[in-house]
Amino acid sequence: MTSIARNQWYVAAYGSEVGRELFARTICGEPILFWRTESGEVTAMSDRCVHRRFPLSQAPSRLEGDTVVCGYHGFTYGRDGGCVAVPGQSRIPRTARLKSFTVVEQDSFVWIWILDPHDPTEPDSAEIPRAPWLDSPDYAVVRGMEPLRARYGLLVDNLMDLSHETYLHGGYIGTPEVAATPISTEVDEDAGVICMSRHMDDAECPPFYAESTGIEGRITRWQDVEYTPPCLYLLHSRIAPVGVMPPEEGPDSQAFHVEVVYAITPETEHSTHDFWSVARDFALDDQDVTDFLRENNRTVVLQDVVALDLLETVIAGEPSGYQELSINIDAGALAARRMLEQMVKRPSRSVPVG
């Protein structure tokens, strides 16, 4: 049985990755071709020619205006995936059409609707969760994408339990207080969102924040998480000197705010695209801070990658029926598992096609 929810929106790419060169990425087990039309719109279709399956993303396939020419036998496709030319004949077979996908560009991401072929539903772009900091002039952003050789549920587990920062990411973002501080969890079934909060009023300042903000000494550190299954994870981080709390009214100008965004997209049942971004509301024009946060956050992400790739190998080799132990801090992760399982079993809230 599949573990991937369909009739859902997933992040397929950053908008900056898609241009006038043929670009391919496998999403939820489907090889998909992306490119921009001459007017700048992103187009997505199957990355397999209908004739002999040649990947259209591979040279000598090419773009000619707003058509894709297969580099193997010359089948040519329009922006909607329909074949417009066949070598050696004027008649175009009725079935000469690539599968096309609905895409939306929002908040620097290219979102793609992955249909359930057994129960297709019409996509509603209003259901795409937001991450507005990623293309706001009030924030500076660093971003990247790392591939995991691990199922996407493991990355969800990882992000929903930030206590691992203390142990896996010590020297970067982890301090003793993260694991020691209780976390509160709220599950909004109707909205399809899981919220978690960990507020540390007197904590060690990890190098990630000490170097980027210039704060000396101990800090007030807040972590507020919103996870909208299946794809988008937001971590709202507030960092301030000890004793500096948000005012009852007005802007929280004495604190530093970092918005950490993860888009968790299955590549296959056992591999994942880990899109990560860090947006900050301070030192917007400081290139040294930008470079530091990019390098350090990528290091943290790669530490997760190593751990999760190892877990995937362990799980693949263990006997069936293994029982793992869960504790209080796992409430958010267990809620996420339950919601993802429900998404796999039932269609989305969208209106049925037709």
Side-chain angles (χ1 to χ4, degrees):
M1 179 180 176
T2 182
S3 63
I4 297 175
R6 292 179 176 267
N7 290 337
Q8 301 292 337
W9 290 102
Y10 290 96
V11 169
Y14 291 109
S16 58
E17 292 184 279
V18 184
R20 290 290 294 166
E21 297 288 335
L22 298 174
F23 169 82
R25 180 163 283 151
T26 298
I27 307 292
C28 299
E30 302 200 42
I32 301 174
L33 179 74
F34 299 89
W35 49 281
R36 286 190 187 272
T37 65
E38 291 182 322
S39 63
E41 297 178 4
V42 175
T43 296
M45 58 189 65
S46 176
D47 187 30
R48 296 290 185 269
C49 180
V50 298
H51 179 230
R52 289 294 183 265
R53 303 186 187 88
F54 191 77
L56 296 168
S57 59
Q58 298 297 309
S61 298
R62 63 189 184 277
L63 272 178
E64 288 187 354
D66 279 347
T67 62
V68 179
V69 181
C70 177
Y72 192 16
H73 292 106
F75 275 63
T76 303
Y77 303 92
R79 56 184 295 179
D80 64 351
C83 185
V84 296
V86 174
Q89 63 184 62
S90 59
R91 185 184 70 84
I92 298 174
R94 179 180 56 83
T95 57
R97 170 173 290 276
L98 299 173
K99 180 179 180 180
S100 62
F101 296 82
T102 300
V103 292
V104 172
E105 278 197 86
Q106 180 173 282
D107 301 331
S108 84
F109 289 130
V110 175
W111 290 86
I112 189 166
W113 179 255
I114 299 296
L115 275 174
D116 181 344
H118 304 293
D119 189 12
T121 61
E122 190 70 28
D124 180 358
S125 61
E127 292 186 346
I128 299 175
R130 299 301 307 270
W133 316 276
L134 301 187
D135 60 6
S136 168
D138 297 325
Y139 286 80
V141 182
V142 295
R143 56 174 58 91
M145 194 281 279
E146 302 299 332
L148 275 73
R149 295 188 299 274
R151 66 198 71 186
Y152 81 118
L154 290 178
L155 181 55
V156 175
D157 280 351
N158 173 276
L159 294 172
M160 297 299 278
D161 177 11
L162 292 181
S163 66
H164 80 274
E165 289 183 354
T166 299
Y167 308 100
L168 190 61
H169 305 310
Y172 292 92
I173 58 175
T175 68
E177 294 81 10
V178 178
T181 304
I183 189 168
S184 63
T185 302
E186 295 182 9
V187 181
D188 188 333
E189 298 282 358
D190 293 333
V193 179
I194 302 168
C195 297
M196 301 182 299
S197 293
R198 175 184 277 114
H199 289 182
M200 296 160 274
D201 293 336
D202 187 349
E204 178 185 334
C205 188
F208 188 83
Y209 292 123
E211 294 292 331
S212 60
T213 67
I215 290 181
E216 297 179 357
R218 297 179 69 80
I219 59 171
T220 296
R221 182 182 182 185
W222 290 7
Q223 296 176 324
D224 294 291
V225 169
E226 295 177 68
Y227 173 53
T228 304
C231 190
L232 197 68
Y233 172 97
L234 309 176
L235 169 59
H236 312 290
S237 291
R238 179 186 185 274
I239 307 96
V242 169
V244 176
M245 297 297 174
E248 293 185 5
E249 297 182 3
D252 188 18
S253 57
Q254 290 185 287
F256 300 87
H257 302 89
V258 175
E259 304 291 344
V260 182
V261 180
Y262 282 87
I264 308 162
T265 299
E267 179 186 42
T268 67
E269 294 283 351
H270 299 281
S271 60
T272 306
H273 303 300
D274 180 0
F275 296 90
W276 59 267
S277 299
V278 178
R280 68 183 190 273
D281 69 351
F282 57 92
L284 301 187
D285 299 320
D286 192 321
Q287 188 62 43
D288 290 339
V289 172
T290 295
D291 294 341
F292 173 82
L293 290 177
R294 179 187 294 109
E295 177 183 349
N296 275 256
N297 201 73
R298 184 168 187 265
T299 297
V300 167
V301 171
L302 290 175
Q303 288 174 332
D304 284 336
V305 169
V306 170
L308 298 178
D309 287 355
L310 176 60
L311 274 177
E312 180 68 31
T313 301
V314 169
I315 292 171
E318 71 188 12
S320 61
Y322 178 85
Q323 294 295 313
E324 66 180 7
L325 174 68
S326 295
I327 57 177
N328 292 341
I329 59 174
D330 298 314
L334 294 176
R337 289 183 184 184
R338 184 179 70 253
M339 293 176 74
L340 289 169
E341 288 172 0
Q342 292 170 348
M343 286 181 168
V344 170
K345 294 176 181 177
R346 63 171 171 78
S348 74
R349 294 189 298 272
S350 298
V351 178
V353 173

